[in-house]
Amino acid sequence: MIEASCHCGAIRLELAERPDVLKSCNCSICRRIGGPWVYYHPKQVKFTKGAGETVAYIQGDRTLAMHHCPTCGCVTHWESTDPHNADRMGINSGLIDPVELKGLPLRHFDGADTWTYLD
Ligand SMILES: [Zn+2]
C-alpha cells in the first residue's frame, strides 16, 4: 500500500500497490500540470480523507475529469467521465513520497500528437 496526499493534506489517498511505471504526457493539459502520472483501477484507490471534496475540471472533449484540491490547488487525479471507460484512473505521482517511486522507469507519452511513446 502506498500513501498519497496533496500539499495541505486535505486530500489523502491509499493506493493498493506500488506503480510499475511513471508516465509523462505532453498533451495540452498534462504539460501544464506536470505529473507524471501513475495508473490504477478505481477499486485500487481509496480516499482516506477528502473524498468528494476535490474540484473537477472537465475540458474539451469531456472524456476526463481532472481533479484538484480546493485548498492548496494540487492536482490530485483524473478519472474518466465515460462509465464504459471507467476501469482506469490517473494519480498525480507528485502526491507520493519520492522514496516510494525510486527507480521506476519514466516514460514519455506524446499525448499532444501521435498518441505513442516518444522513448
Ligand atoms: Zn490540499
Side-chain angles (χ1 to χ4, degrees), residues 15-35:
L15 309 171
E17 58 191 24
R18 187 175 190 254
D20 49 15
V21 65
L22 303 170
K23 187 165 141 185
S24 175
C25 177
N26 63 359
C27 82
S28 62
I29 188 157
C30 291
R31 72 180 164 87
R32 289 174 165 89
I33 289 167

Side-chain angles (χ1 to χ4, degrees), residues 37-100:
W37 303 103
V38 291
Y39 299 97
Y40 290 92
H41 189 284
K43 284 183 179 164
Q44 295 179 290
V45 178
K46 184 174 148 196
F47 282 79
T48 55
K49 196 167 175 221
E53 292 175 16
T54 51
V55 177
Y57 168 63
I58 300 174
Q59 59 163 331
D61 57 9
R62 308 187 70 81
T63 56
L64 293 180
M66 189 67 74
H67 288 258
H68 69 269
C69 170
T71 302
C72 67
C74 291
V75 170
T76 51
H77 66 289
W78 60 254
E79 58 194 18
S80 175
T81 56
D82 178 355
H84 300 296
N85 192 23
D87 60 347
R88 200 166 84 130
M89 63 187 288
I91 307 295
N92 181 1
S93 70
L95 273 55
I96 302 168
D97 186 330
V99 170
E100 303 278 12

